[in-house]
Amino acid sequence: MKNTSTLLSSVQLGPYTLKNRIVMPPLTRSRSTQPDNIPNDLMATYYAQRASAGFMVTEGTQIEPRGQGYAWTPGIHSPAQIEGWKKVTQAVHAKGSIIFAQLWHVGRVSHTSLQPNQAPPIAPSAITATNVKVFIETGPGEGALADPSEPRALSTEEVGELVAMYAAAARNALEAGFDGVELHCANGYLVNQFISEHSNTRDDQYGGSLTNRLRFLKEVVAVVSEVVGADRLGVRFAPLFASTDETRVYLGLVEADPHHTYIEAIKVLEQAGIAYLSIAEADWDNAPDLPEPFYQAVRAEFSGRIIYAGKYTVQKSVDILSKGYGDLFAFGRPFIANPDLPERIANDWPLNEADPVTMYGGTAIGYSDYPRYQE
């Protein structure tokens, strides 16, 4: 039996004392009520079932109607959505867990059918996303994968308006009862599109040099910190050092110098004094670990808590924790299929396998019906 006592130890995260270091990360499940992408009782049940996690982050929740790239994902921009999320936060708090809302805007990774008035998606630059599919509704409860639509470039003024939308979404998250928020800045979505040399060819203050490409991130972090407090804010990155041709959920973009790009981005976060940095590693089959010098540099530059995710095993988590590189560890697919994951890890009980067919959209089947372990 692996020594899991370190993973099961309590840890401080901002103002919160977490009961263990096991995290339920953001997991898109596309179960919101239609129309209007409203969180519901089924979602509240699902999150409450998994509240033995030391820390939970919701699925990505779009900050405005244009922020949606997949059918049936929840939003956090309307009064009805805020009311729906209250069911989730109350259910999780009743079980004694801490939950942050992940604020999401997909930018160019969308389709005209998902956009208000079938308009083109918005992006830093008018460059269509490749190597990615979006998920569109083809009928009630029916959907299909599609190529992203060609986006339109945002004006400088519109970029400022988007920064304000992040602040508004953060206020909505607090109203809904969340303990804090995480900014989705990974996987080739809007904030990542500003950071990346592949998707940002702007010639204003948001484009060109790396400092300029990091400006949108810096401004969003600043305004959201003002709303929720830096000690209740996290940021998620996916610093890819390699990619894959495997057909799968979108990974994002590989920069020419990922180490430099992301260490500079992390310096921005350190300066802002945020509570944590969440790093999603490559998670396709046989994907390489991040380079050792990168793990070391992340720890050297960032003084807050560091969460790692991406096909992590208990053993890899214990190893990274013992080296001092990470503090908390997120288990995605295992949490989908094992609502009692921390107990299973503590007792070395076998794990249920996640059913890929019921991952996105649908009913309680493959969502809230995974069994707890019976001795």
Side-chain angles (χ1 to χ4, degrees), residues 9-20:
S9 62
S10 68
V11 61
Q12 199 71 17
L13 180 71
Y16 304 112
T17 302
L18 309 182
K19 56 198 169 195
N20 59 54

Side-chain angles (χ1 to χ4, degrees), residues 137-202:
E137 188 172 66
T138 54
E142 299 288 317
L145 292 170
D147 290 321
S149 302
E150 183 180 333
R152 113 182 137 73
L154 291 154
S155 69
T156 304
E157 187 183 358
E158 286 178 307
V159 177
E161 290 166 1
L162 269 167
V163 172
M165 285 179 195
Y166 274 94
R171 281 191 290 275
N172 292 346
L174 292 185
E175 190 185 333
F178 285 104
D179 300 300
V181 301
E182 175 177 294
L183 299 172
H184 195 344
C185 303
N187 303 114
Y189 298 120
L190 183 67
V191 181
N192 195 181
Q193 288 160 32
F194 274 93
I195 295 170
S196 177
E197 62 209 318
H198 304 298
S199 48
N200 182 346
T201 57
R202 300 176 70 88

